[in-house]
Amino acid sequence: MKIPAMLSVEDALERILRYTPVLEAEERALLECLGRVLAEDVRAEVDIPPLPDSAMDGYAVRAQDIRDASLTAPRTLRVIGEAPAGRVFPGEVRPGTAVRIMTGAPVPRGADTVVPFEETDEMNRRRSPGAGGDVAIRKAFSAGAHIRNAGEDVRKGTTVMEAGAVLRPAAIGVLASVGRATARVVRRPVVAVLATGDELMEPGLRLEAGQIYNSNSYSVASAVLRYGGIPKVLGIARDNLPDLEAKIAKGLEADMLITSAGVSHGDYDIVKDVLAQKGEVAFWTVRMRPAKPLAFGALVQRLPGGRERRVPHLGLPGNPVSALVAFEIFARAAILKMQGRKKLDKPSIEAILEEPITNSDGRRVYARCAVTRRGGRYYARLSGSQGSNILTTMARANGLAICPEDVAQLNAGQTARVLMLDWDEYQALDEQD
């Protein structure tokens, strides 16, 4: 397949997603399903609620008995018992009687209304009236007041959740409410993360002259975890054939392999050679800054019996900001797709720039910025130096402001589209008027 000299971001992403599969389903306990994609339709086997029940703590009565009740002329009823939640009251509410009832308790036979405690004289007593005592009702209510009908939330036999739904906390509650202890969900992908280079050293060890700490494995693995994947950190592959081949072989046991470094023109050819020998890997340049160099393809794992398994591989640039920006644009979408997600676009907003963004070479610029909200509008200020090696400005950013390929400069005061890096934190921002 002929690869263009430089791909657009959209073209590169389309090619990556085309070869990224949706993974198979697995049965999981409910609390392990949070954030996962449901792989089955779920039907209710029960009505919710199963019986008419009380929406309030109060008294179950007949509306006809209290139709003229008021604060100045209360109606007095004889209390014949109490109905706690979880039990069906054995008796029947007859004319002139009431049953003290708790929220969620089935409404006794004969009753068609619940009067809250606040509308009775109970609030003025030291003790509630027991069976045989009286209660004064101080307000009239129509039939059905404060009663939840059987099946009001869910009807038996109806589909309460469809395959493809992302299971949020409320959805987990719905599954539990219909009696499900487990659910079939698309499984989380195992993503192998591999850094390459003789200059790298693991954090905690002593640096020698010319060495740097391996930050990419930790930032990329954290991003994998954040978007629902299971990171498998393979460490550092040195620039020699045996180590590279051994580390890449371990990565083939995962659902996806992400490497950092070894994809630009200045890197050792050995990295490219080993990747190419393991499958079909294309080395691209993408019309974006940072993260111009990129590799993508399918690596082949040989299985017993002559079978083969293809593992998607994404090669990120070595500079730490470039690696993270490329991850957010490409790897994030692929990991979400593997989990069965349909919505793959990053959340974005329109923000007023407080500083200019310059585009010097006709690539799409993703500028690290800090977004705030003032007076109901969003504003974006660059978070610091935009060099692809300045990781601290990525840490201070909550968005990536985009300057399009065909725009030489966006000036302060102009509006730009901003991809939000941490949408939850952004939503919590206070307005600063």
Side-chain angles (χ1 to χ4, degrees):
M1 179 176 62
K2 186 177 180 180
I3 304 296
M6 190 177 293
L7 297 176
S8 69
V9 171
E10 288 77 15
D11 193 9
L13 181 58
E14 189 275 331
R15 290 168 188 247
I16 290 170
L17 293 179
R18 188 192 314 163
Y19 290 101
T20 301
V22 177
L23 300 180
E24 69 275 11
E26 61 182 1
E27 193 83 12
R28 284 294 188 183
L30 282 190
L31 288 183
E32 297 176 15
C33 294
L34 182 64
R36 308 278 286 275
V37 173
L38 191 63
E40 61 175 337
D41 291 343
V42 176
R43 296 184 180 277
E45 302 297 328
V46 294
D47 285 335
I48 303 175
L51 296 169
D53 67 29
S54 177
M56 301 284 288
D57 294 333
Y59 287 87
V61 303
R62 296 174 358 122
Q64 185 177 357
D65 288 344
I66 60 167
R67 64 182 183 275
D68 298 324
S70 67
L71 185 63
T72 56
R75 293 297 305 270
T76 300
L77 303 176
R78 182 167 55 87
V79 179
I80 61 172
E82 185 169 295
R87 295 186 195 173
V88 176
F89 185 74
E92 181 179 356
V93 175
R94 298 183 180 277
T97 66
V99 170
R100 194 169 184 271
I101 192 168
M102 300 295 106
T103 301
V107 177
R109 287 182 296 114
D112 59 11
T113 302
V114 171
V115 178
F117 286 152
E118 295 85 343
E119 306 300 341
T120 74
D121 65 347
E122 175 160 326
M123 306 304 289
N124 300 327
R125 304 178 183 220
R126 290 187 178 179
R127 296 181 181 179
S128 59
D134 292 333
V135 63
I137 308 297
R138 296 175 169 179
K139 183 177 178 180
F141 288 89
S142 58
H146 304 303
I147 290 178
R148 300 181 291 212
N149 295 322
E152 181 178 305
D153 187 7
V154 174
R155 286 285 185 186
K156 181 179 179 180
T158 59
T159 299
V160 295
M161 206 69 61
E162 294 183 350
V166 178
L167 297 178
R168 308 298 186 193
I172 297 292
V174 169
L175 295 179
S177 75
V178 298
R180 294 292 296 267
T182 63
R184 285 188 61 75
V185 292
V186 180
R187 72 173 178 86
R188 296 170 61 191
V190 177
V191 181
V193 178
L194 176 63
T196 65
D198 283 343
E199 77 281 12
L200 299 179
M201 185 65 67
E202 288 294 353
L205 301 179
R206 182 178 178 179
L207 289 178
E208 301 294 337
Q211 292 183 326
I212 59 173
Y213 286 120
N214 171 25
S215 64
N216 281 354
S217 287
Y218 294 89
S219 58
V220 170
S222 297
V224 168
L225 190 63
R226 178 186 178 190
Y227 293 119
I230 302 171
K232 180 181 179 180
V233 179
L234 302 179
I236 301 167
R238 301 304 176 185
D239 293 323
N240 62 76
L241 274 173
D243 196 38
L244 271 170
E245 290 178 339
K247 292 290 196 320
I248 289 174
K250 289 183 179 179
L252 298 183
E253 299 171 2
D255 298 301
M256 185 177 195
L257 171 63
I258 296 179
T259 58
S260 61
V263 297
S264 65
H265 294 296
D267 289 308
Y268 286 100
D269 289 337
I270 188 174
V271 177
K272 300 177 181 178
D273 290 343
V274 171
L275 290 171
Q277 289 169 9
K278 296 293 181 180
E280 300 174 1
V281 179
F283 294 87
W284 304 336
T285 54
V286 182
R287 199 174 293 112
M288 62 187 291
R289 178 160 56 89
K292 176 182 175 182
L294 195 72
F296 181 75
L299 303 177
V300 177
Q301 181 189 30
R302 311 294 180 184
L303 300 174
R307 295 179 297 120
E308 294 182 347
R309 176 174 169 268
R310 301 177 75 80
V311 180
H313 163 252
L314 182 62
L316 306 178
N319 276 319
V321 175
S322 299
L324 275 178
V325 171
F327 184 99
E328 290 288 343
I329 303 302
F330 302 113
R332 170 189 172 276
I335 290 170
L336 292 179
K337 182 184 175 183
M338 294 176 91
Q339 297 172 81
R341 295 288 190 99
K342 301 297 184 185
K343 187 175 181 181
L344 305 180
D345 294 338
K346 278 193 74 66
S348 66
I349 60 166
E350 297 292 320
I352 299 171
L353 294 176
E354 297 185 298
E355 296 179 77
I357 299 174
T358 301
N359 185 352
S360 60
D361 56 4
R363 288 186 277 162
R364 183 177 305 176
V365 176
Y366 292 90
R368 285 150 271 167
C369 63
V371 175
T372 55
R373 186 180 179 207
R374 302 192 301 272
R377 303 192 72 177
Y378 306 124
Y379 293 84
R381 175 175 289 275
L382 299 183
S383 59
S385 172
Q386 296 296 301
S388 59
N389 62 317
I390 310 297
L391 187 56
T392 52
T393 58
M394 188 72 173
R396 290 197 292 267
N398 63 356
L400 296 173
I402 297 174
C403 182
E405 298 92 317
D406 58 353
V407 176
Q409 180 167 299
L410 287 175
N411 297 313
Q414 288 186 278
T415 298
R417 186 165 71 96
V418 181
L419 304 183
M420 298 308 298
L421 292 172
D422 197 334
W423 188 250
D424 291 337
E425 276 192 15
Y426 167 72
Q427 287 177 311
L429 288 175
D430 293 326
E431 282 201 6
Q432 300 172 13
D433 292 318

